[in-house]
Amino acid sequence: MDHVPGSGVRADTGGRAGAGPLRGHLAAGGETSGLRLRFGRGADGIERLAASMAGDAFSPHRHDTYAIGMTLTGVQTFHYRGEQRHCLPGEWHVLHPDELHDGAAGTDEGFGYRILYVDPCLVQEALGGAPLPFVADPVIARHDVDPALIAWLAYMDEPLGDFERIEVTLAVARLLSRHGAVRPGQRGALAVDALARVRDLIADDPTVRHPVAEFERISGLDRWTVARQFRAAFGTSPTRFRTMRQLDRVRLMLRAGVPPCDAAVVAGFADQSHMTRMFGRAYGFTPACWSAALRASPWDGSRPLQAAGDGQHGAGDVRGAFRHEP
């Protein structure tokens, strides 16, 4: 997968997810042996990821994408909008762009999940230019989720062509519209075409810091309208959107074996320290932990599915699709 859409994390002074012993190396910024990550096949604006964790915790972070995942094994617990949440096997969680959250296992056995990261721009296009819906209750029962979404995660190693990319986006948009609502103050028409010009300018070369006057010039909007409507349309601010596109480049380079110090400079950060701080705020752990978790992934695809749960909470609707991912 050559394209890496934005996904993110944030810093917070609040509590970490899970019990005290679960607050491990990730929150402290060190290496970890308890985290495993594996990317599936993606498309422009869509990532699919399988992950498992035991004995560690994601530090508070925020994505600039929608994060829509299904717990497969164990109990996943996380703080979100001031409350501690729990997600059982077969249940789904839906996190809005730019919302602070953490994550940990609710028991000593750890947990595993698969997740879609979807660019809000795709959702916005699927909704015909309407403001992004916000799902206030992030945990959704299995029977309230389109089986098509389960399949898109179950078969995450199959390629996503142009039409499949549209189908995934429409399924996500339907889920969000069914369970969410437009936030107060975000109703009304958006200048989508003008905002897209600002977004494209940033994405074309995120190493460049553009002055606000340039956003005004290419959009025909004043700076206040750009700031308000950009977030309503794309889920984050222009500044954070730029940082996340820089981090996209860092992740691609790290996966290719580029040293972090070089990746930081090429992506336009002041230095490696600056990049590492931004990386932690976006993903909940350091670049070293992220790279180690990818290298440590044990999945060989050879073991049959054990359905998550007992049928009441389980993911057995797509029999045989998910592999055990310890």
mmCIF file of all heavy atoms in Angstrom, residues 15-24 27 55-57 75-79 84 86 102-108:
data_model
loop_
_atom_site.group_PDB
_atom_site.id
_atom_site.type_symbol
_atom_site.label_atom_id
_atom_site.label_comp_id
_atom_site.label_asym_id
_atom_site.label_seq_id
_atom_site.Cartn_x
_atom_site.Cartn_y
_atom_site.Cartn_z
ATOM 1 N N GLY A 15 -6.772 10.767 32.507
ATOM 2 C CA GLY A 15 -6.379 9.404 32.835
ATOM 3 C C GLY A 15 -6.113 8.570 31.604
ATOM 4 O O GLY A 15 -6.599 8.845 30.522
ATOM 5 N N ARG A 16 -5.324 7.522 31.780
ATOM 6 C CA ARG A 16 -5.071 6.554 30.731
ATOM 7 C C ARG A 16 -6.155 5.480 30.779
ATOM 8 O O ARG A 16 -6.754 5.239 31.821
ATOM 9 C CB ARG A 16 -3.696 5.889 30.921
ATOM 10 C CG ARG A 16 -2.542 6.870 30.916
ATOM 11 C CD ARG A 16 -2.322 7.450 29.511
ATOM 12 N NE ARG A 16 -1.077 8.167 29.443
ATOM 13 C CZ ARG A 16 -0.960 9.471 29.658
ATOM 14 N NH1 ARG A 16 -2.007 10.171 29.971
ATOM 15 N NH2 ARG A 16 0.209 10.058 29.542
ATOM 16 N N ALA A 17 -6.367 4.821 29.653
ATOM 17 C CA ALA A 17 -7.351 3.754 29.629
ATOM 18 C C ALA A 17 -6.855 2.559 30.410
ATOM 19 O O ALA A 17 -5.677 2.254 30.445
ATOM 20 C CB ALA A 17 -7.640 3.341 28.189
ATOM 21 N N GLY A 18 -7.812 1.860 31.038
ATOM 22 C CA GLY A 18 -7.463 0.599 31.669
ATOM 23 C C GLY A 18 -6.899 0.770 33.069
ATOM 24 O O GLY A 18 -6.721 1.868 33.576
ATOM 25 N N ALA A 19 -6.609 -0.366 33.692
ATOM 26 C CA ALA A 19 -6.063 -0.360 35.040
ATOM 27 C C ALA A 19 -4.601 0.046 35.022
ATOM 28 O O ALA A 19 -3.941 0.006 34.005
ATOM 29 C CB ALA A 19 -6.219 -1.748 35.652
ATOM 30 N N GLY A 20 -4.101 0.399 36.212
ATOM 31 C CA GLY A 20 -2.735 0.888 36.318
ATOM 32 C C GLY A 20 -1.681 0.017 35.686
ATOM 33 O O GLY A 20 -0.798 0.509 34.986
ATOM 34 N N PRO A 21 -1.684 -1.322 35.892
ATOM 35 C CA PRO A 21 -0.649 -2.173 35.308
ATOM 36 C C PRO A 21 -0.626 -2.146 33.794
ATOM 37 O O PRO A 21 0.365 -2.540 33.186
ATOM 38 C CB PRO A 21 -1.045 -3.571 35.827
ATOM 39 C CG PRO A 21 -1.823 -3.323 37.065
ATOM 40 C CD PRO A 21 -2.578 -2.061 36.795
ATOM 41 N N LEU A 22 -1.730 -1.695 33.182
ATOM 42 C CA LEU A 22 -1.774 -1.671 31.725
ATOM 43 C C LEU A 22 -1.132 -0.427 31.148
ATOM 44 O O LEU A 22 -0.970 -0.316 29.950
ATOM 45 C CB LEU A 22 -3.228 -1.771 31.244
ATOM 46 C CG LEU A 22 -3.924 -3.075 31.596
ATOM 47 C CD1 LEU A 22 -5.387 -3.011 31.185
ATOM 48 C CD2 LEU A 22 -3.242 -4.251 30.917
ATOM 49 N N ARG A 23 -0.813 0.513 31.983
ATOM 50 C CA ARG A 23 -0.165 1.718 31.483
ATOM 51 C C ARG A 23 1.316 1.423 31.345
ATOM 52 O O ARG A 23 2.096 1.597 32.265
ATOM 53 C CB ARG A 23 -0.409 2.886 32.439
ATOM 54 C CG ARG A 23 -1.885 3.251 32.592
ATOM 55 C CD ARG A 23 -2.029 4.660 33.133
ATOM 56 N NE ARG A 23 -1.398 4.795 34.445
ATOM 57 C CZ ARG A 23 -2.071 4.701 35.578
ATOM 58 N NH1 ARG A 23 -3.332 4.431 35.584
ATOM 59 N NH2 ARG A 23 -1.430 4.857 36.728
ATOM 60 N N GLY A 24 1.704 1.028 30.168
ATOM 61 C CA GLY A 24 3.056 0.523 29.990
ATOM 62 C C GLY A 24 3.932 1.430 29.184
ATOM 63 O O GLY A 24 3.820 2.647 29.229
ATOM 64 N N ALA A 27 2.755 4.595 26.757
ATOM 65 C CA ALA A 27 2.483 5.888 27.366
ATOM 66 C C ALA A 27 3.759 6.578 27.800
ATOM 67 O O ALA A 27 3.857 7.794 27.813
ATOM 68 C CB ALA A 27 1.552 5.714 28.565
ATOM 69 N N GLY A 55 -0.640 -5.625 27.951
ATOM 70 C CA GLY A 55 0.318 -5.090 28.911
ATOM 71 C C GLY A 55 0.742 -3.663 28.680
ATOM 72 O O GLY A 55 1.553 -3.138 29.422
ATOM 73 N N ASP A 56 0.226 -3.009 27.661
ATOM 74 C CA ASP A 56 0.608 -1.637 27.356
ATOM 75 C C ASP A 56 -0.643 -0.806 27.118
ATOM 76 O O ASP A 56 -1.757 -1.320 27.102
ATOM 77 C CB ASP A 56 1.502 -1.589 26.112
ATOM 78 C CG ASP A 56 2.812 -2.330 26.316
ATOM 79 O OD1 ASP A 56 3.587 -1.898 27.181
ATOM 80 O OD2 ASP A 56 3.037 -3.333 25.619
ATOM 81 N N ALA A 57 -0.467 0.476 26.909
ATOM 82 C CA ALA A 57 -1.602 1.359 26.646
ATOM 83 C C ALA A 57 -1.205 2.416 25.625
ATOM 84 O O ALA A 57 -0.079 2.904 25.636
ATOM 85 C CB ALA A 57 -2.066 2.031 27.934
ATOM 86 N N VAL A 75 -11.199 -7.408 25.925
ATOM 87 C CA VAL A 75 -11.996 -6.216 26.224
ATOM 88 C C VAL A 75 -11.141 -4.993 25.948
ATOM 89 O O VAL A 75 -10.047 -4.853 26.491
ATOM 90 C CB VAL A 75 -12.469 -6.201 27.690
ATOM 91 C CG1 VAL A 75 -13.246 -4.926 27.993
ATOM 92 C CG2 VAL A 75 -13.314 -7.435 27.994
ATOM 93 N N GLN A 76 -11.648 -4.115 25.099
ATOM 94 C CA GLN A 76 -10.956 -2.871 24.796
ATOM 95 C C GLN A 76 -11.582 -1.753 25.619
ATOM 96 O O GLN A 76 -12.810 -1.610 25.662
ATOM 97 C CB GLN A 76 -11.094 -2.554 23.299
ATOM 98 C CG GLN A 76 -10.369 -1.299 22.873
ATOM 99 C CD GLN A 76 -10.443 -1.043 21.369
ATOM 100 O OE1 GLN A 76 -9.836 -0.102 20.874
ATOM 101 N NE2 GLN A 76 -11.187 -1.875 20.661
ATOM 102 N N THR A 77 -10.757 -0.993 26.300
ATOM 103 C CA THR A 77 -11.262 0.119 27.093
ATOM 104 C C THR A 77 -10.539 1.391 26.696
ATOM 105 O O THR A 77 -9.351 1.363 26.366
ATOM 106 C CB THR A 77 -11.108 -0.157 28.602
ATOM 107 O OG1 THR A 77 -11.635 0.947 29.348
ATOM 108 C CG2 THR A 77 -9.646 -0.359 28.985
ATOM 109 N N PHE A 78 -11.282 2.509 26.706
ATOM 110 C CA PHE A 78 -10.686 3.779 26.288
ATOM 111 C C PHE A 78 -11.478 4.936 26.877
ATOM 112 O O PHE A 78 -12.675 4.821 27.144
ATOM 113 C CB PHE A 78 -10.637 3.881 24.757
ATOM 114 C CG PHE A 78 -11.978 3.770 24.069
ATOM 115 C CD1 PHE A 78 -12.685 4.896 23.681
ATOM 116 C CD2 PHE A 78 -12.519 2.519 23.799
ATOM 117 C CE1 PHE A 78 -13.915 4.784 23.051
ATOM 118 C CE2 PHE A 78 -13.747 2.392 23.167
ATOM 119 C CZ PHE A 78 -14.444 3.526 22.780
ATOM 120 N N HIS A 79 -10.776 6.038 27.099
ATOM 121 C CA HIS A 79 -11.408 7.277 27.532
ATOM 122 C C HIS A 79 -11.760 8.105 26.297
ATOM 123 O O HIS A 79 -10.938 8.271 25.390
ATOM 124 C CB HIS A 79 -10.483 8.081 28.443
ATOM 125 C CG HIS A 79 -10.325 7.486 29.806
ATOM 126 N ND1 HIS A 79 -9.340 6.566 30.115
ATOM 127 C CD2 HIS A 79 -11.039 7.673 30.952
ATOM 128 C CE1 HIS A 79 -9.437 6.224 31.395
ATOM 129 N NE2 HIS A 79 -10.456 6.875 31.921
ATOM 130 N N GLN A 84 -15.067 6.752 30.468
ATOM 131 C CA GLN A 84 -14.362 5.518 30.137
ATOM 132 C C GLN A 84 -15.341 4.569 29.458
ATOM 133 O O GLN A 84 -16.436 4.311 29.957
ATOM 134 C CB GLN A 84 -13.769 4.855 31.378
ATOM 135 C CG GLN A 84 -12.914 3.632 31.026
ATOM 136 C CD GLN A 84 -12.170 3.064 32.208
ATOM 137 O OE1 GLN A 84 -12.448 3.438 33.342
ATOM 138 N NE2 GLN A 84 -11.237 2.169 31.959
ATOM 139 N N HIS A 86 -16.053 0.799 27.197
ATOM 140 C CA HIS A 86 -15.607 -0.582 27.038
ATOM 141 C C HIS A 86 -16.217 -1.148 25.769
ATOM 142 O O HIS A 86 -17.404 -0.939 25.489
ATOM 143 C CB HIS A 86 -16.015 -1.441 28.242
ATOM 144 C CG HIS A 86 -15.411 -0.997 29.532
ATOM 145 N ND1 HIS A 86 -15.974 -0.003 30.319
ATOM 146 C CD2 HIS A 86 -14.276 -1.388 30.177
ATOM 147 C CE1 HIS A 86 -15.214 0.188 31.385
ATOM 148 N NE2 HIS A 86 -14.186 -0.634 31.320
ATOM 149 N N ASP A 102 -7.658 7.419 24.260
ATOM 150 C CA ASP A 102 -6.525 6.548 24.512
ATOM 151 C C ASP A 102 -6.982 5.123 24.242
ATOM 152 O O ASP A 102 -7.949 4.907 23.514
ATOM 153 C CB ASP A 102 -5.977 6.735 25.935
ATOM 154 C CG ASP A 102 -7.052 6.560 27.008
ATOM 155 O OD1 ASP A 102 -8.139 6.033 26.688
ATOM 156 O OD2 ASP A 102 -6.798 6.932 28.172
ATOM 157 N N GLY A 103 -6.335 4.123 24.792
ATOM 158 C CA GLY A 103 -6.771 2.756 24.563
ATOM 159 C C GLY A 103 -5.904 1.766 25.301
ATOM 160 O O GLY A 103 -4.690 1.935 25.401
ATOM 161 N N ALA A 104 -6.541 0.725 25.862
ATOM 162 C CA ALA A 104 -5.818 -0.316 26.587
ATOM 163 C C ALA A 104 -6.702 -1.540 26.711
ATOM 164 O O ALA A 104 -7.905 -1.498 26.409
ATOM 165 C CB ALA A 104 -5.389 0.177 27.964
ATOM 166 N N ALA A 105 -6.107 -2.633 27.160
ATOM 167 C CA ALA A 105 -6.870 -3.841 27.445
ATOM 168 C C ALA A 105 -7.586 -3.705 28.782
ATOM 169 O O ALA A 105 -7.025 -3.181 29.745
ATOM 170 C CB ALA A 105 -5.946 -5.054 27.469
ATOM 171 N N GLY A 106 -8.819 -4.182 28.833
ATOM 172 C CA GLY A 106 -9.576 -4.138 30.074
ATOM 173 C C GLY A 106 -9.287 -5.299 31.003
ATOM 174 O O GLY A 106 -9.731 -5.303 32.150
ATOM 175 N N THR A 107 -8.544 -6.292 30.506
ATOM 176 C CA THR A 107 -8.155 -7.449 31.321
ATOM 177 C C THR A 107 -6.691 -7.777 31.025
ATOM 178 O O THR A 107 -6.099 -7.257 30.077
ATOM 179 C CB THR A 107 -9.020 -8.678 30.998
ATOM 180 O OG1 THR A 107 -8.718 -9.133 29.668
ATOM 181 C CG2 THR A 107 -10.502 -8.351 31.102
ATOM 182 N N ASP A 108 -6.136 -8.683 31.806
ATOM 183 C CA ASP A 108 -4.735 -9.064 31.627
ATOM 184 C C ASP A 108 -4.501 -9.830 30.325
ATOM 185 O O ASP A 108 -3.357 -9.975 29.892
ATOM 186 C CB ASP A 108 -4.254 -9.915 32.806
ATOM 187 C CG ASP A 108 -4.178 -9.118 34.097
ATOM 188 O OD1 ASP A 108 -4.092 -7.875 34.010
ATOM 189 O OD2 ASP A 108 -4.210 -9.739 35.176
#
